[in-house]
DNA sequence: ATGCCTGAATCTTTCAGA
């Protein structure tokens, strides 16, 4: 079973690229972030025609997350991150698919830091960590995947010294990620490739993709029973080279049945 | 320190992204 995550940066503007990638790689479960579409403006029919059921939580202009499943039922558990009724951002959706609990997240960017946006990022991270603790304690097979907006270590940044004051790489942000992993989660890519430079994002500026000036910010966190099924993982980085593409590339894992 | 690019809405600029 293949599970993928992809920050599409606009699900409607990205539709041809998304459909091409779905057809090419045929993932069984897909988590999408940054839909940038209102709830009733999600391309449900085109995605159904590609063979996928979908649930999503849209929002005007920004954010928005979705879970797709190829020929499988999606049992929605939540479309908000618990812990703050005042939080209006569509950044989390959770469902059971084929016996797996799938949490699809779009963690706040947090720039500029310091400031209210960075405070919001850290608070969101705390709420997510608290929610993850409950999922972990349940003992169920859980996959928490999406755009974490965190480079966990120096290995995950093309030029670490340029990013030390950035919200994606500040000590508080890296500490929050480390604290989350300390619950027992496995970072799938890092487990399989402990020393390899692997990026999932290249910004649109300065020919970043051509220079391989990238960041690893899209992650797969696995609970122990899912970790024991992990066969392989990777980044579909060639998709970043397509016309009208997202600034992120899809990331995937393959699990034993 | 800033802009470089991109998508969506506020729509011929502005905002946010990372």
């Amino acid at each position: 079973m293949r599970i993928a995550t992809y920050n599409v940066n606009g699900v409607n503007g990205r539709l041809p690229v998304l459909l091409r990638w779905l057809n090419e790689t045929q993932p069984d479960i897909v988590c999408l972030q940054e839909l940038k579409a209102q709830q009733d403006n999600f391309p449900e029919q085109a995605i159904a025609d590609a063979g996928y059921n979908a649930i999503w939580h849209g929002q005007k202009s920004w954010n928005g997350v979705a879970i797709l499943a190829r020929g499988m039922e999606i049992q929605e558990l939540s479309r908000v991150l618990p812990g703050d009724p005042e939080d209006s951002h569509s950044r989390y959706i959770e469902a059971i698919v084929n016996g797996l609990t799938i949490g699809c997240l779009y963690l706040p960017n947090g720039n500029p830091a310091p400031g209210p946006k960075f405070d919001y990022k850290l608070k969101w991270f705390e709420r997510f960590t608290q929610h993850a603790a409950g999922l972990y304690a349940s003992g169920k097979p859980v996959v928490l995947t999406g755009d974490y907006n965190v480079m966990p270590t120096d290995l995950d940044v093309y030029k670490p010294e340029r990013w030390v004051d950035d919200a994606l790489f500040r000590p508080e942000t890296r500490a929050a990620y480390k604290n989350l992993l300390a619950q027992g989660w496995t970072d799938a890519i890092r487990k399989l490739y402990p020393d390899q430079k692997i990026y999932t994002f290249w910004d649109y500026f300065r020919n970043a993709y051509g220079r391989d000036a990238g960041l690893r910010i899209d992650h797969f966190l696995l609970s122990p029973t899912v970790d024991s099924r992990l066969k392989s993982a990777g980044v579909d980085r060639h998709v970043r080279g397509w016309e009208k593409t997202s600034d992120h590339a899809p990331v995937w894992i393959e699990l034993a049945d």
Side-chain angles (χ1 to χ4, degrees):
Chain A
M1 152 158 311
R2 177 176 289 231
I3 308 172
T5 185
Y6 188 16
N7 179 324
V8 289
N9 188 13
V11 73
N12 288 302
R14 205 67 59 220
L15 194 56
V17 166
L18 174 62
L19 295 174
R20 178 180 171 190
W21 167 73
L22 287 174
N23 184 57
E24 179 184 290
T25 66
Q26 304 267 313
D28 298 290
I29 301 171
V30 180
C31 293
L32 301 178
Q33 302 87 34
E34 277 209 82
L35 302 179
K36 292 185 171 180
Q38 301 198 48
Q39 186 65 19
D40 59 3
N41 199 24
F42 182 83
E44 182 178 17
Q45 190 59 53
I47 283 171
D49 291 344
Y52 288 86
N53 297 321
I55 62 169
W56 65 95
H57 189 187
Q59 183 172 352
K60 190 164 73 175
S61 305
W62 301 304
N63 309 318
V65 284
I67 298 175
L68 280 48
R70 191 158 59 95
M72 292 182 290
E73 185 193 346
I74 304 172
Q75 182 191 339
E76 182 176 316
L77 295 175
S78 178
R79 55 178 51 213
V80 296
L81 180 67
D84 184 2
E86 304 294 304
D87 184 4
S88 59
H89 293 201
S90 297
R91 293 182 176 275
Y92 188 72
I93 192 165
E94 184 181 288
I96 295 176
V97 183
N98 198 30
L100 291 170
T101 298
I102 306 289
C104 170
L105 66 139
Y106 175 44
L107 204 133
N109 176 302
N111 277 307
K117 289 189 173 182
F118 190 56
D119 295 342
Y120 172 66
K121 175 176 195 157
L122 294 180
K123 287 191 80 169
W124 203 98
F125 217 143
E126 278 176 29
R127 284 164 58 206
F128 181 66
T129 300
Q130 189 160 7
H131 184 61
L135 290 171
Y136 193 91
S138 75
K140 294 175 182 165
V142 182
V143 176
L144 299 177
T145 189
D147 180 356
Y148 281 72
N149 270 316
V150 182
M151 293 87 87
T153 72
D154 284 359
L155 186 55
D156 304 308
V157 197
Y158 67 97
K159 197 166 276 194
E161 65 275 17
R162 289 267 176 90
W163 288 81
V164 286
D165 292 327
D166 191 277
L168 280 69
F169 198 53
R170 285 176 69 97
E172 303 95 315
T173 308
R174 279 181 278 167
Y177 187 80
K178 196 174 173 186
N179 184 44
L180 171 62
L181 257 66
Q183 293 175 356
W185 302 95
T186 297
D187 179 333
I189 290 275
R190 229 2 123 213
K191 180 195 179 187
L192 296 180
Y193 301 99
D195 305 313
Q196 200 160 316
K197 191 180 74 178
I198 295 176
Y199 300 141
T200 67
F201 168 92
W202 299 260
D203 87 28
Y204 290 123
F205 308 158
R206 299 162 295 214
N207 187 33
Y209 181 63
R211 295 185 298 118
D212 198 26
L215 310 173
R216 189 176 75 97
I217 55 177
D218 302 271
H219 307 301
F220 269 95
L221 268 52
L222 314 181
S223 70
T225 55
V226 181
D227 177 35
S228 65
R229 294 170 55 189
L230 181 64
K231 287 167 61 180
S232 56
V235 178
D236 291 329
R237 58 175 287 151
H238 67 286
V239 174
R240 180 62 181 80
W242 291 353
E243 288 293 313
K244 301 289 286 180
T245 200
S246 171
D247 39 8
H248 294 249
V251 185
W252 54 268
I253 61 170
E254 190 81 34
L255 300 180
D257 293 328

